[in-house]
Each structure stands twice: as structure tokens, then as C-alpha cells.
Amino acid sequence: MQLWIYKAAMIEIVCNDRLGKKVRVKCNPDDTIRDLKLLIAAQTGTKPEKIVLKKWYTVYKDHITLDDYEIHDGMNLEMYYQ
């Protein structure tokens, strides 16, 4: 019996806070928004609890995966701070 494991390719997401900080993050589609915030925090030095990710009026929740939100390679997200 063969077991096929699907391994998705990594995607790159660009997060812009419109204050001069633009971050490119590589992650997997099955990562959660919380995982993405941790990667952004590692690059910017900002605490992950203070980061809010949005696209237009949609605020992304921490426990939902990027794939569920249909966030794809090369997508831009807006980054705000609480």
C-alpha cells in the first residue's frame, strides 16, 4: 500500500504597514495567521500580539490557515498595529 503525502510549495506574502515597513515572508499554505504573524515579528522586531493583518475590511483571525483564507503566492496584506 502506498501512502501519498501532498506537500505544498512555499508561498511568499508581502506585508506593508504603509509607514515605510514592507516585509516579505515565506511560509506554507497550511500555516495559520498566527504562524505568519510570528514570522513577521521575527523580521520586524514587533510583538506578534500587536500585529493586525487585513485585506480591505477583512481582519484575519489567528487560528485560520492561509489556505482557508485563499491567501496565495505573491499576495499583499495590510499590516496594522494595536
Side-chain angles (χ1 to χ4, degrees):
M1 183 174 142
Q2 289 183 340
L3 178 64
W4 294 95
I5 298 175
Y6 174 71
K7 180 71 175 164
M10 292 188 81
I11 60 174
E12 184 177 69
I13 298 169
V14 180
C15 299
N16 190 357
D17 69 353
R18 302 188 186 264
L19 296 172
K21 205 177 282 185
K22 194 173 197 176
V23 182
R24 292 180 179 269
V25 181
K26 291 213 178 246
C27 54
N28 293 316
D30 58 349
D31 287 345
T32 62
I33 295 294
R34 173 76 178 154
D35 297 333
L36 178 60
K37 286 182 181 180
L38 289 170
L39 292 169
I40 294 168
Q43 285 191 22
T44 62
T46 307
K47 292 183 180 179
E49 305 86 39
K50 299 284 184 187
I51 298 173
V52 177
L53 297 175
K54 290 184 181 181
K55 184 73 172 181
W56 286 88
Y57 294 105
T58 304
V59 178
Y60 294 119
K61 309 280 185 197
D62 284 351
H63 64 282
I64 300 178
T65 64
L66 301 176
D67 208 21
D68 290 340
Y69 273 126
E70 296 181 359
I71 296 175
H72 304 295
D73 187 35
M75 198 163 169
N76 294 307
L77 298 179
E78 301 162 10
M79 183 169 51
Y80 296 95
Y81 306 107
Q82 292 186 0

